[in-house]
Amino acid sequence: MALAALQASMVTPASADLLEAVNRSRMHQCAHPSAVQLRDSPRLRQAALSVADGVPLASALRTAGYRALQSSALHLSGAASDAQVSSLLAGSNCAQLTDPNLSEIGVQRRGRDVWIVLAAPASLPSLRDAPLIRRRILDLVNAARQGGRRCGSKAYPAAAPLSLNSVLTSAALTHSEDMAAHVQFDHRGHDGSTPAARVADAGYGGYLVVGENIAAGVMTPEEVTRGWLESPAHCENIMDPRFSDIGIAFALNYSSPELVYWTQDFAAPRRSHAAGTSTSNR
């Protein structure tokens, strides 16, 4: 017990000093320093140990159980002291070190070699918050329709707001779950289904037109909607005045690189009201 305590006391200060050396470069020695220090992460320390053993960064993060929105790895060779670590980092690694999106760190040292893993933890949307997330995306979509916008080379005038439809949401959820389960990013389902077939199978009934937007790897309603609006084809679906109803859903797969899979289904019924309840943003 006494020996274990002694070993722990010998290791911990060295790790703290090394982390301090990295943050010193990040916050004071780089040409464009960051105002925020990196936080030590036990999982990233584990990932850095794997990287030191030759494991690719993505695999090291997965093995450590760390879900990263963004990540980066650095290897310094010939650093005999913490002061030399700071000097080497400030010399040629400042762009990675001061990236404002990276907030956590794991460091490992072996002799004169230092491995550093930097990352931004992914904050995944919660399935419990799905109704709120759907409503937020609906609000963002309808705000875009209300103002009109250009989608690539096509200009769209203001359009009537879309109504959130439960049947379309069911179709969207089916596809998001299918993409997540099979780690597949495609409008065609794993069973070969098309967006129109999924909308019909969900019970929407006769429709005039159907459209679909998908996305993966983004974590928030704001990010996913911004990405769709910045893509001309996806933007056209959002702005298309022919659509009156929308379904919105997402699914998670913690083992996949993308983590989150999103689907929007758009449609307009042939008859006055499609099956399923609708809620309007009017």
Side-chain angles (χ1 to χ4, degrees):
M1 292 290 291
L3 178 59
L6 176 61
Q7 289 174 334
S9 68
M10 292 171 64
V11 172
T12 302
S15 299
D17 289 343
L18 189 54
L19 178 60
E20 182 180 347
V22 175
N23 272 319
R24 184 161 56 248
S25 293
R26 173 178 164 95
M27 301 178 68
H28 303 293
Q29 295 178 331
C30 285
H32 302 285
S34 170
V36 181
Q37 69 176 5
L38 296 161
R39 301 187 302 273
D40 178 51
S41 165
R43 291 182 185 269
L44 289 184
R45 274 188 265 132
Q46 181 182 341
L49 188 60
S50 295
V51 171
D53 289 333
V55 177
L57 177 57
S59 298
L61 290 169
R62 282 197 298 272
T63 301
Y66 189 98
R67 297 190 293 274
L69 188 61
Q70 182 180 333
S71 61
S72 181
L74 299 170
H75 176 208
L76 306 179
S77 186
S81 66
D82 294 336
Q84 286 181 314
V85 170
S86 290
S87 178
L88 288 170
L89 285 172
S92 59
N93 298 282
C94 281
Q96 288 171 277
L97 187 62
T98 60
D99 187 328
N101 296 318
L102 301 174
S103 58
E104 296 189 341
I105 183 173
V107 185
Q108 293 290 346
R109 169 181 252 154
R110 290 178 182 168
R112 292 180 174 229
D113 286 289
V114 175
W115 288 266
I116 301 169
V117 174
L118 309 167
S123 180
L124 299 180
S126 169
L127 294 176
R128 291 175 299 182
D129 294 333
L132 295 176
I133 291 170
R134 282 196 293 270
R135 172 57 64 178
R136 176 59 177 156
I137 292 175
L138 177 67
D139 289 345
L140 292 169
V141 164
N142 280 334
R145 287 172 68 90
Q146 182 179 19
R149 68 187 301 115
R150 180 173 291 277
C151 301
S153 61
K154 297 179 66 174
Y156 282 84
L162 298 171
S163 296
L164 187 62
N165 182 277
S166 62
V167 175
L168 291 181
T169 292
S170 178
L173 181 59
T174 293
H175 191 51
S176 286
E177 290 179 338
D178 183 65
M179 288 192 293
H182 297 98
V183 193
Q184 175 178 303
F185 184 65
D186 199 313
H187 287 286
R188 186 167 293 276
H190 187 255
D191 61 357
S193 64
T194 63
R198 290 190 293 271
V199 165
D201 289 345
Y204 187 79
Y207 53 80
L208 290 171
V209 61
V210 169
E212 183 174 85
N213 286 344
I214 58 174
V218 289
M219 305 298 155
T220 68
E222 291 77 14
E223 287 177 296
V224 72
T225 306
R226 182 167 60 249
W228 281 326
L229 288 171
E230 290 174 353
S231 166
H234 297 88
C235 175
E236 288 177 18
N237 274 340
I238 290 175
M239 297 303 301
D240 193 327
R242 295 176 299 169
F243 294 130
S244 59
D245 294 332
I246 186 174
I248 303 165
F250 66 94
L252 307 175
N253 181 344
Y254 297 108
S255 300
S256 75
E258 288 80 11
L259 297 173
V260 189
Y261 296 80
W262 304 84
T263 304
Q264 286 181 324
D265 280 331
F266 305 85
R270 286 192 182 280
R271 54 188 186 274
S272 58
H273 294 289
T277 59
S278 298
T279 56
S280 174
N281 195 45
R282 287 186 177 88

